[in-house]
Amino acid sequence: AVSYGFLFAAFSLPVSSDFFPLSDRNQFVIDVFLPESAPITRTREIATQVENVVRGLGKKTWQNGQWVAIKADEARFVNMCTMIGTGGPYNYPGLYPKDPGSNYGIVWVSTESGDQVARFIEDVKVAATRGVGQPGSEDYVPPVAGVRIVPHQLVMGTPVKSPVDIRLLGPRLGNERVFRKYGARVEEAVRNTGIAFDVHNSWGEYGRQIDVRLDEDKANLAGVTNMDVALSLNAYYSGHPLTKFREEDRQIPIKLRLPPSQRRSLDEIDAVYVNSLMGKLPLDSVTEISRSWQPAKLQRYQRERCFSVRTRPAAGVLYSEIIEAVQPELDKIQAELPPGYRIEHGGTKEEADKGLAMN
């Protein structure tokens, strides 16, 4: 009777499990995300700051609200590799491939052993916002501000964009304001759980957009076409290719464009000249130039417009715990959505449901 009692008590204990367990490799990755319009040169600068943070954490760790020096026999940092503009070589099948972009970078970090990875990741989270060490000291490394720094452990299983991915789906030409309004409520609900890390959405922030519309009447009189305007703008800012300079086995392109001081900003685009039958004309004499803030990115999922709220579980938390915590609020939002809109789960839950359906 006593044995059966202990057995029943053991099975009654709450046991948590994860469909895709974490890898025990002595490696982890740090995703670096900048705003959509960021140039690759800025991404390289931020990635260099992240590298400095990782090097600093090779000597210090965060304990009891302060930085503590790591003993020499407990060294954990081995090496790292940084790739800008791409996810790099996908030598690990459980890592989701990121789309190439000038605002993205990834840092692969190797440690002495797999047991050090989890602690290292938590230190990176702290260092990204606080810096490493005491301000003013010689070995102080400043924090990395204004960007998303997402360190995470490798996972064994089907790669997903994010462990928790809550999709707000709507018609093919769904109203942007509807997506933003209800998507913001989903984001707030996820943040209020208190167990989520890196809460963000798939559309990002608004970006500045400049529209150059050709005035057909004026353009026809001046002999200016859309192609003329496009070539002029491309030559001014991106550069018009002229030739190539060969240096041993390398070919270096030579382009004609404005000096760096004049192409750092588009505020002076009104002063651009365009070629016409009558010579060079100011761009604003044959076009209408307007400036506005527009969504930097709109995404679709299976042909439907999709606004995804994504996050990662905090240390020691499972993705299922976040979904359980936020589901009551999702049900309320679903009941208020206009016709044609709905909420569904992606990420690890979607892949887990597929796996269970096959069994």
Side-chain angles (χ1 to χ4, degrees):
V2 173
S3 300
Y4 278 110
F6 278 115
L7 182 63
F8 176 78
F11 279 107
S12 301
L13 292 174
V15 179
S16 59
S17 62
D18 205 343
F19 195 82
F20 297 134
L22 297 175
S23 171
D24 58 355
R25 289 170 62 112
N26 63 327
Q27 289 180 319
F28 68 95
V29 297
I30 306 175
D31 289 321
V32 181
F33 297 94
L34 277 71
E36 293 293 332
S37 58
I40 196 168
T41 52
R42 179 57 178 165
T43 306
R44 185 185 297 111
E45 294 173 0
I46 294 297
T48 301
Q49 296 181 33
V50 175
E51 290 178 348
N52 294 334
V53 168
V54 173
R55 291 190 184 95
L57 292 176
K59 303 177 182 178
K60 292 182 174 64
T61 184
W62 183 258
Q63 290 183 2
N64 301 323
Q66 62 181 348
W67 292 108
V68 179
I70 296 177
K71 298 179 181 179
D73 58 346
E74 297 178 354
R76 55 182 179 176
F77 173 66
V78 177
N79 54 46
M80 60 182 162
C81 177
T82 303
M83 286 146 282
I84 307 298
T86 179
Y90 297 103
N91 57 338
Y92 188 79
L95 186 63
Y96 191 89
K98 303 294 191 303
D99 296 330
S102 61
N103 66 319
Y104 172 72
I106 184 172
V107 182
W108 280 78
V109 182
S110 298
T111 61
E112 290 287 350
S113 68
D115 297 335
Q116 299 169 322
V117 168
R119 180 69 261 167
F120 209 141
I121 289 176
E122 294 306 308
D123 287 344
V124 172
K125 293 179 182 179
V126 176
T129 57
R130 291 175 173 267
V132 184
Q134 297 297 326
S137 60
E138 294 183 359
D139 59 348
Y140 174 69
V141 181
V144 186
V147 297
R148 284 176 49 218
I149 307 298
V150 189
H152 59 92
Q153 200 164 347
L154 299 174
V155 177
M156 295 187 294
T158 304
V160 294
K161 287 186 177 181
S162 181
V164 179
D165 188 346
I166 304 173
R167 302 190 189 110
L168 176 57
L169 298 167
R172 185 170 60 90
L173 297 177
N175 191 307
E176 178 199 339
R177 293 183 179 179
V178 174
F179 283 102
R180 288 284 184 182
K181 174 183 176 181
Y182 292 99
R185 290 182 56 183
V186 175
E187 281 192 73
E188 182 181 5
V190 174
R191 286 193 176 92
N192 290 340
T193 62
I195 54 177
F197 165 69
D198 184 40
V199 183
H200 65 283
N201 65 71
S202 60
W203 284 16
E205 302 298 329
Y206 285 89
R208 192 182 184 190
Q209 178 172 305
I210 297 180
D211 295 318
V212 181
R213 296 183 178 86
L214 199 67
D215 188 316
E216 294 185 2
D217 294 334
K218 296 180 180 179
N220 289 334
L221 290 174
V224 177
T225 65
N226 285 313
M227 179 63 71
D228 296 328
V229 174
L231 290 175
S232 296
L233 292 176
N234 185 68
Y236 269 71
Y237 295 100
S238 298
H240 180 70
L242 298 178
T243 183
K244 292 183 179 180
F245 174 75
R246 182 180 295 275
E247 185 180 45
E248 296 181 353
D249 60 342
R250 293 192 307 160
Q251 289 187 351
I252 304 173
I254 299 177
K255 296 183 178 181
L256 172 66
R257 61 180 178 179
L258 291 175
S261 59
Q262 299 182 27
R263 53 183 164 84
R264 289 175 180 168
S265 174
L266 293 175
D267 293 334
E268 299 179 0
I269 193 172
D270 299 341
V272 171
Y273 285 86
V274 61
N275 291 321
S276 70
L277 296 178
M278 298 179 291
K280 291 187 176 294
L281 294 175
L283 181 64
D284 59 357
S285 66
V286 292
T287 62
E288 295 180 1
I289 303 174
S290 60
R291 297 168 175 83
S292 61
W293 290 93
Q294 299 293 336
K297 180 169 57 177
L298 297 178
Q299 289 191 330
R300 300 183 186 277
Y301 178 76
Q302 295 182 349
R303 297 185 179 182
E304 293 182 295
R305 185 163 284 188
C306 175
F307 184 99
S308 290
V309 176
R310 297 165 181 161
T311 186
R312 291 184 172 275
V317 179
L318 302 179
Y319 77 92
S320 55
E321 297 180 55
I322 297 179
I323 294 176
E324 292 174 2
V326 78
Q327 192 59 51
E329 185 63 24
L330 295 183
D331 293 337
K332 294 180 182 179
I333 297 175
Q334 177 68 64
E336 300 176 16
L337 286 175
Y341 295 82
R342 70 184 189 280
I343 294 176
E344 67 178 34
H345 290 284
T348 304
K349 177 174 173 51
E350 182 180 46
E351 296 300 327
D353 292 342
K354 291 179 182 178
L356 294 173
M358 296 174 62
N359 295 334

